Amino acid sequence: MVHIPDDADFNSFREQCESAEGWQCQYNKGGVNVWSQEQDSSKAVKKLKMRIICKDVSAEVLYDVLHDTSYRKKWDSNMIDTYDIGRLTVNADVGYYSWKCPSPLKNRDFVTLRSWLPLGNDYMIINYSVKHPKHPPRKDFVRAVSLQTGYLIKANGDKSCVLYYLTQVDPKGSLPKWVVNKVSQFVAPKAMKKIYKAGLKYPEWKKKHDPHFKPWVYPEQNTLPTVNLEDLAIQRADELENIDESGVSEERMHISDDEDGLAKDS
C-alpha cells in the first residue's frame, strides 16, 4: 500500500546513511566514499551508499540544488527529461525522471513518490517507485524501480556540508557484473562530484532565475495539481518486463565524462 513517509521512515533512512555496520567499502578517493551492502536473498538488489564532503556549499544550498528542477536541466547532462506530476502534501509529491544509460544499454525511467524533511540545518529527501494511471511504462524506456533512494544533507559549519546518497534500485535488466562494478568505481564517484560542483555554482545561477521561487521551501508557491493517494499503487519490479542485457560486453559500452548515471530523487 502506498503511504507518505513518516518520521519512522526518515529516521530509518538516516540511520542507514550514518551506520557503518554491514557496509563494504568499494571506493575511497578524493573525498568521496562508496559502500555497498549485500541483501539476504541472492536475487535481491544490493544497496549502494555514497558520501562526499562539500566545502564552501551550505546544507541549505545543496538542498535547493536537489529540489530545483530547472537547475537540474543545467547540470545533469545524464537526464533526458524530468517533471513534477502532482503534489500529495506540503512535503510530498509524485514525479517523473528519465535518464541516459551508457550505450548500448537501454535508457531508463522512473515514476516516484518523493518526500522531504528539513531538520534545522540538516535535510532529507527520500523516494520510492509508484504507479500512476496517467504515466504507465513507455515503449522507448525501461521502467526501473526505486525500492528506496534518497539524500541526507548534514550541515558541517555555516558554509560546508556532508552529502549522503543511498539507493536501492532495480534497473529491470539482467546486467553483467562488470556494469555493477563500474557503477561503484567510476559512475557513482563522478556523480557525487557533479552534485558538489552544481552546489558551488547554484547561488549565482539562482540570482538570475526566479530567485524567490522555492516551492519546496514555500508551499504556497506550489501550483501543481493535487494527486490522490488512492490513485497510486506500489510499483513492483516483478510486474515489469525484464530486459536481458547480460550479453553486453565491456568493450561495447561507452561511458563519457558526462554520463554520471545518477537517478533523480523525483
Side-chain angles (χ1 to χ4, degrees):
M1 182 178 176
V2 174
H3 79 286
I4 296 171
D6 55 21
D7 287 348
D9 295 309
F10 281 105
N11 288 336
S12 172
F13 180 80
R14 183 171 191 143
E15 288 172 4
Q16 290 183 75
C17 287
E18 296 179 330
S19 174
E21 187 176 350
W23 292 93
Q24 291 81 43
C25 182
Q26 302 290 329
Y27 182 95
N28 183 5
K29 187 178 179 181
V32 180
N33 301 96
V34 181
W35 300 270
S36 65
Q37 186 182 78
E38 297 289 348
Q39 303 305 297
D40 294 337
S41 170
S42 61
K43 294 183 179 180
V45 180
K46 71 163 57 178
K47 291 183 181 180
L48 203 63
K49 178 170 68 174
M50 294 151 252
R51 181 183 67 190
I52 185 171
I53 297 173
C54 300
K55 297 178 181 178
D56 300 317
V57 179
S58 69
E60 181 183 9
V61 165
L62 206 59
Y63 180 63
D64 289 347
V65 167
L66 294 171
H67 268 290
D68 199 324
T69 302
S70 296
Y71 186 57
R72 189 164 197 119
K73 294 172 182 176
K74 298 292 183 183
W75 65 265
D76 188 357
S77 55
N78 187 62
M79 182 184 72
I80 297 173
D81 191 18
T82 185
Y83 53 84
D84 298 322
I85 295 170
R87 57 178 169 172
L88 290 160
T89 66
V90 294
N91 71 323
D93 62 16
V94 179
Y96 175 86
Y97 178 79
S98 58
W99 81 100
K100 293 180 290 186
C101 288
S103 177
L105 300 178
K106 294 180 182 295
N107 295 330
R108 261 68 176 176
D109 69 355
F110 289 108
V111 171
T112 59
L113 187 159
R114 178 182 62 167
S115 187
W116 52 93
L117 181 66
L119 288 170
N121 294 322
D122 297 347
Y123 304 86
M124 280 183 282
I125 307 171
I126 60 178
N127 78 58
Y128 65 93
S129 284
V130 294
K131 291 189 288 187
H132 188 287
K134 294 183 180 179
H135 299 271
R138 295 166 47 173
K139 292 182 179 179
D140 52 336
F141 289 99
V142 176
R143 180 60 52 91
V145 178
S146 168
L147 302 171
Q148 181 186 47
T149 296
Y151 300 94
L152 166 63
I153 310 165
K154 296 182 63 178
N156 189 19
D158 292 337
K159 295 183 179 180
S160 180
C161 64
V162 179
L163 171 66
Y164 288 88
Y165 175 71
L166 186 149
T167 183
Q168 186 179 22
V169 167
D170 188 335
K172 289 311 298 173
S174 301
L175 301 174
K177 279 194 173 182
W178 62 262
V179 171
V180 179
N181 292 336
K182 184 155 286 192
V183 166
S184 60
Q185 295 295 323
F186 180 82
V187 178
K190 285 180 65 62
M192 296 299 279
K193 291 175 183 176
K194 180 168 276 194
I195 295 175
Y196 177 25
K197 290 178 181 177
L200 290 169
K201 297 177 180 179
Y202 182 74
E204 283 301 312
W205 181 90
K206 190 61 176 173
K207 285 180 183 178
K208 303 173 184 177
H209 300 85
D210 294 323
H212 303 294
F213 183 70
K214 296 182 180 181
W216 53 93
V217 177
Y218 310 111
E220 64 274 13
Q221 296 178 346
N222 194 327
T223 58
L224 290 172
T226 300
V227 174
N228 293 320
L229 201 63
E230 295 77 18
D231 293 336
L232 304 175
I234 299 289
Q235 178 63 76
R236 304 193 186 282
D238 57 10
E239 297 170 344
L240 296 167
E241 181 183 2
N242 198 65
I243 307 299
D244 187 1
E245 295 173 307
S246 58
V248 174
S249 66
E250 189 165 4
E251 290 73 23
R252 289 183 61 202
M253 188 169 175
H254 174 68
I255 300 180
S256 72
D257 289 341
D258 288 334
E259 290 174 334
D260 288 318
L262 186 66
K264 187 198 176 198
D265 51 298
S266 294

